[in-house]
Amino acid sequence: MGKPLILALDQGTTSTRAILFQADGKPVGDASRPLRQSYPRDGWVEHDAEEIYAACVGVLRDTVETCGRDSADIAALGVTNQRETVVVWDKATGRPIHPAIVWQDRRTADVCDRLRDAGHEPAVTAATGLLLDPYFSGTKIAWILDKVPGARRRAEAGELLCGTIDTWVIWRLTDKANHVTDATNASRTLLFDIEKQDWSDAMLSLLNVPRALLPTVLDCAGDYGEVTPDILGRPLPIRGVAGDQQAALMGQGCIHPGEMKVTYGTGGFMLVNTGEDRPHSASRLLTTVAARVNGRTTYALEGSIFVAGAAIQWLNEGLGVTGGPRGAEALARSARGGHGVVVVPAFTGLGAPWWDAEARGAIFGLTRDAGLAEIAQATFDSCVFQGRDLIEAMRADAPSAFEDAALRIDGGMAKSAWFSQRLADLTGIPVHRASYQETTALGAALFAGVGAGVYGSVEEAVKARPEAELLTPTFDTVTREAAYARWLDALPRVRSQA
């Protein structure tokens, strides 16, 4: 047997990808397939769970068959997934009883509103670290049980199972042998007590979800069973699982308190590792499980930016800037200095820490000599300022975690060296730009490597990360703070409740 390889399965919202890594973190093969989304009603988003599973099998096979390496050298499989998306299926037949309800889906907003109005949110946050929002899985599960004829009766009789996408895929890959999830995915369901590290009886009762439906919760590096030999020609141990943002946190090497990452894609997700002491956010950030390894839980504060790369897409499609993201960047770089334009891209509201779904976007500070270049630069800067809002909220919630702060970034916008430098300049925090952007898949592989014994510890595993480019702030404090002050001045003008 040669040097061990680790296979990662990354099941995302718009695509499914498999990547084969060497133990040193170098990718040696990959395959991907797109994933269709359906929108049966306004605010509803669904996936075909059978299509997801078929894509997973397809990309695993394609990667192994085309990598040119001996499959006997693959030590383990790691799985990462779009979080909060749920499936409910028949335990005997394996057939889903309803399409998967995607994390973006808003159909249970009224349920969350009623629970919040009834005063339940403080208890929900105390147990789960989350807020009452249809984003999370629990109300989605209850909706399926209530709306599919006979589903609740069958669930209470033990005839149905449910789970997030990791659970569904693993149950199928192991031929129904393992109904499991990991602590990071469990922590996004609204059903999991993140301090007791077990399903919460109080939350199960509040949301009316039978415990018999739910999977066993394991460490991120653990024994999830084996992929059956008919899929890859031999049994393959599944030894690591984490939700996508926590996998990216691992892939970015954020394993110590104060280490934080942000993924700039269509939106943005920022997480800061806060260590083994659970933080309690006064800034309406989410408290979530960062990882659980060898029975030890580490926590993270998380904030979401609704619009990041989507704002650049708006420049291209809405304002007619040609050349895609690169064309938008080139235009932004040509803006005159000190223009004072501020763009607040609240197209679908404001995310954390404001949580204002009714806020709407606006442009401020226009003068006669302001043009499209200034608007473009202000749009890029808005992605930075939304990130700084999260940083300031996290700093307030967990000051001890910010003694030596640096920001590790990945995602589509991180491919731009100019934007990455802008991020350092306008936050005043050094930025480490990932040289390899598939950090989510890499994190899943690293967890699996720990679970399979390829690495002796998490600390050893993260040494396999590729080198990152360090960008240090160049703006003086006065310039930086004046720019942020203009942003803070603009925000109350777009909020529904300033």
Side-chain angles (χ1 to χ4, degrees):
M1 183 174 178
K3 292 183 179 180
L5 303 171
I6 307 168
L7 187 57
L9 176 62
D10 181 358
Q11 203 299 298
T13 310
T14 58
S15 68
T16 303
R17 179 182 299 272
I19 303 177
L20 188 63
F21 293 94
Q22 294 180 160
D24 62 4
K26 180 181 178 182
V28 293
D30 68 89
S32 66
R33 295 188 181 186
L35 177 61
R36 292 181 297 112
Q37 299 188 65
S38 60
Y39 307 91
R41 295 187 192 177
D42 183 38
W44 291 27
V45 189
E46 296 179 350
H47 284 158
D48 181 339
E50 292 285 4
E51 179 186 353
I52 288 175
Y53 175 67
C56 289
V57 172
V59 296
L60 289 173
R61 285 175 172 166
D62 289 348
T63 301
V64 172
E65 289 172 2
T66 62
C67 70
R69 306 290 289 270
D70 188 343
S71 64
D73 290 343
I74 303 175
L77 172 67
V79 176
T80 184
N81 57 286
Q82 50 169 313
R83 303 174 305 173
E84 298 96 14
T85 299
V86 292
V87 187
V88 179
W89 66 92
D90 186 297
K91 186 176 182 179
T93 67
R95 295 192 186 97
I97 67 169
H98 188 274
I101 301 182
V102 179
W103 60 272
Q104 299 160 313
D105 190 282
R106 307 297 295 178
R107 75 185 66 187
T108 62
D110 59 336
V111 175
C112 294
D113 290 343
R114 287 198 301 270
L115 292 170
R116 191 182 304 107
D117 292 344
H120 291 294
E121 188 164 73
V124 170
T125 301
T128 69
L130 308 176
L131 302 172
L132 278 169
D133 194 274
Y135 176 25
F136 305 111
S137 311
T139 57
K140 296 178 171 69
I141 297 168
W143 187 94
I144 293 174
L145 298 184
D146 289 336
K147 299 300 182 180
V148 175
R152 184 163 292 284
R153 174 189 56 78
R154 296 181 64 205
E156 292 169 351
E159 297 174 8
L160 302 178
L161 298 175
C162 79
T164 43
I165 294 300
D166 58 308
T167 301
W168 161 247
V169 170
I170 292 170
W171 190 79
R172 293 291 302 272
L173 289 174
T174 61
D175 193 21
K176 308 179 183 179
N178 293 75
H179 185 221
V180 290
T181 190
D182 85 294
T184 69
N185 277 296
S187 75
R188 311 297 295 189
T189 61
L190 272 180
L191 302 173
F192 191 69
D193 189 311
I194 62 172
E195 291 190 33
K196 295 179 180 178
Q197 290 292 296
D198 192 10
W199 300 115
S200 165
D201 289 331
M203 291 305 304
L204 294 175
S205 176
L206 180 66
L207 299 186
N208 201 15
V209 174
R211 182 181 280 265
L213 276 173
L214 299 172
T216 300
V217 181
L218 305 178
D219 286 0
C220 298
D223 186 351
Y224 288 82
E226 292 185 336
V227 178
T228 55
D230 60 302
I231 293 175
L232 295 174
R234 69 175 185 88
L236 179 63
I238 306 171
R239 292 295 181 263
V241 177
D244 53 8
Q245 298 307 318
Q246 284 92 337
L249 196 70
M250 176 67 165
Q252 285 279 30
C254 299
I255 62 172
H256 300 114
E259 294 177 335
M260 59 181 172
K261 73 90 189 176
V262 61
T263 299
Y264 273 110
T266 301
F269 291 91
M270 183 178 291
L271 283 80
V272 60
N273 185 318
T274 60
E276 294 185 35
D277 294 327
R278 174 196 169 173
H280 293 271
S281 177
S283 307
R284 290 180 63 80
L285 298 176
L286 306 177
T287 304
T288 194
V289 174
R292 198 175 84 189
V293 179
N294 295 326
R296 298 180 65 177
T297 303
T298 54
Y299 295 95
L301 285 169
E302 177 176 332
S304 302
I305 298 168
F306 288 169
V307 175
I312 312 309
Q313 186 179 30
W314 167 72
L315 289 174
N316 295 136
E317 298 177 0
L319 298 188
V321 176
T322 60
R326 289 186 179 180
E329 179 187 319
L331 180 64
R333 294 176 71 168
S334 72
R336 63 180 178 83
H339 54 76
V341 176
V342 177
V343 172
V344 183
F347 305 143
T348 56
L350 290 169
W354 314 111
W355 293 109
D356 189 344
E358 303 305 317
R360 287 297 176 264
I363 303 173
F364 299 98
L366 290 176
T367 58
R368 181 63 182 83
D369 55 352
L372 200 52
E374 287 70 35
I375 292 172
Q377 187 177 94
T379 302
F380 277 94
D381 288 352
S382 73
C383 302
V384 174
F385 293 136
Q386 290 177 94
R388 178 158 176 186
D389 288 343
L390 294 178
I391 290 169
E392 297 302 331
M394 290 175 176
R395 197 191 304 272
D397 284 338
S400 63
F402 279 84
E403 294 173 358
D404 186 24
L407 185 60
R408 304 178 187 187
I409 64 170
D410 56 60
M413 293 187 71
K415 295 177 182 178
S416 166
W418 175 80
F419 172 75
S420 302
Q421 182 62 56
R422 197 84 180 164
L423 185 62
D425 290 340
L426 291 171
T427 61
I429 295 176
V431 167
H432 296 262
R433 184 165 73 109
S435 59
Y436 179 67
Q437 292 296 315
E438 299 296 338
T439 56
T440 301
L442 177 60
L446 296 180
F447 276 128
V450 173
V454 175
Y455 311 112
S457 65
V458 167
E459 288 76 11
E460 181 183 339
V462 298
K463 292 179 182 177
R465 293 172 47 246
E467 290 292 323
E469 179 186 7
L470 174 62
L471 303 167
T472 57
T474 62
F475 283 11
D476 62 78
T477 302
V478 172
T479 301
R480 180 173 62 250
E481 295 308 313
Y484 188 50
R486 287 192 294 271
W487 167 261
L488 292 178
D489 180 66
L491 280 177
R493 307 188 203 187
V494 305
R495 295 185 61 194
S496 61
Q497 296 178 342

